Amino acid sequence: MQRQYPRTRAAPISEAPTINAVSAGGVVISGAEGDFDVALVTPNHRRVWCLPKGTLEAGESPEEAAVREVREETGLHAEIVEKIDQINYWFYTPARARVHKVVHFFLMRSLGGDVNDHDGEIAEVRLFPLLEAPELLAYRGERGVVEQAIDRLLGPTGRIGAAQSSRS
């Protein structure tokens, strides 16, 4: 006769605590119309290319956080042209808490700065041709955001100048 041992199980997913987190970031472009570059970052903890982004601070709007995070992570000063989209995803912390993350992304224009002047959370910042960026990005949601930016910038009515003049 086989001995029966009690089974231990992790808490069911529905019982895991849920944390809501909000971040903001940008598709930061530079260059001339039709020949844009985009700033991508490699965080220290992961060797992947991604868009600059980070958590909102207390009382901060997504727009304010995007401008601040872009400056901190890329060394570039940038202005918001328009909101592109927001992405939502779920993940688990090592302590088994569920996190629902919402990231607001903005199309941003670089006003200058130095990509070597980024904070310590980032291993590398590099400018890539905008049309190459979707292939380089590690995360599907960010690839979709950059593809939307490409459509807005290079589509028949999505030129950056048209977006600026329509707000004037």
Side-chain angles (χ1 to χ4, degrees):
M1 178 168 162
Q2 244 181 355
R3 188 180 290 220
Q4 296 287 326
Y5 293 97
R7 296 173 115 182
T8 57
R9 292 184 173 176
I13 291 174
S14 62
E15 292 179 19
T18 300
I19 299 167
N20 292 306
V22 181
S23 292
V27 177
V28 183
I29 56 145
S30 63
E33 189 169 324
D35 189 25
F36 295 113
D37 289 327
V38 63
L40 302 182
V41 300
T42 297
N44 284 330
H45 63 284
R46 293 201 172 117
R47 293 295 183 188
V48 298
W49 290 110
C50 57
L51 294 171
K53 62 189 169 301
T55 303
L56 275 65
E57 294 180 351
E60 196 173 40
S61 70
E63 293 83 358
E64 292 167 330
V67 170
R68 178 184 52 77
E69 287 291 341
V70 162
R71 169 65 189 95
E72 290 174 1
E73 292 194 353
T74 68
L76 299 174
H77 300 275
E79 66 180 356
I80 292 175
V81 175
E82 64 183 303
K83 183 162 186 180
I84 298 174
D85 202 355
Q86 68 184 39
I87 59 174
N88 299 277
Y89 56 94
W90 292 83
F91 63 93
Y92 282 91
T93 67
R96 298 283 303 148
R98 290 186 325 162
V99 178
H100 177 228
K101 183 101 174 214
V102 176
V103 186
H104 300 268
F105 280 107
F106 299 89
L107 178 60
M108 302 174 77
R109 180 193 331 254
S110 174
L111 301 174
D114 182 350
V115 295
N116 295 309
D117 189 23
H118 58 80
D119 68 16
E121 294 178 17
I122 301 299
E124 185 177 5
V125 179
R126 200 180 305 170
L127 297 175
F128 291 98
L130 179 62
L131 294 176
E132 293 177 17
E135 297 292 325
L136 298 170
L137 289 165
Y139 305 113
R140 181 179 55 209
E142 292 186 9
R143 287 191 296 269
V145 166
V146 170
E147 288 166 355
Q148 289 180 62
I150 290 169
D151 288 346
R152 290 179 188 190
L153 289 166
L154 303 177
T157 59
R159 303 245 183 249
I160 194 165
Q164 281 290 70
S165 64
S166 69
R167 293 185 304 159
S168 302

